[in-house]
Amino acid sequence: MNEQPKTRTDLIGSTGSITRRVTIIDAKEYPTGVSVRVSDEMGEEYWTDLEDIELD
């Protein structure tokens, strides 16, 4: 028997966070702080603030 998934309307609009391993691939220092370009384990690349990353 093929069951259909149930929509979880109680979860829609909720917020949370996901922790991913990242590798810094570029970094720029500005008077306001350091911005880093990262590549995550999903293959996505994006810029973020260094203060948002916990380095090993």
Side-chain angles (χ1 to χ4, degrees):
M1 186 172 206
N2 191 8
E3 291 187 35
Q4 295 297 317
K6 176 183 172 186
T7 300
R8 292 288 308 269
T9 56
D10 59 316
L11 294 175
I12 297 172
S14 297
T15 59
S17 62
I18 296 174
T19 303
R20 290 191 178 142
R21 302 257 333 137
V22 296
T23 300
I24 296 174
I25 57 175
D26 198 0
K28 307 278 186 201
E29 184 170 2
Y30 298 93
T32 56
V34 177
S35 291
V36 292
R37 184 157 180 83
V38 298
S39 174
D40 69 19
E41 55 197 9
M42 304 294 287
E44 299 293 322
E45 294 182 3
Y46 52 91
W47 285 95
T48 190
D49 293 331
L50 181 60
E51 64 188 32
D52 294 335
I53 298 175
E54 185 176 323
L55 297 175
D56 294 338

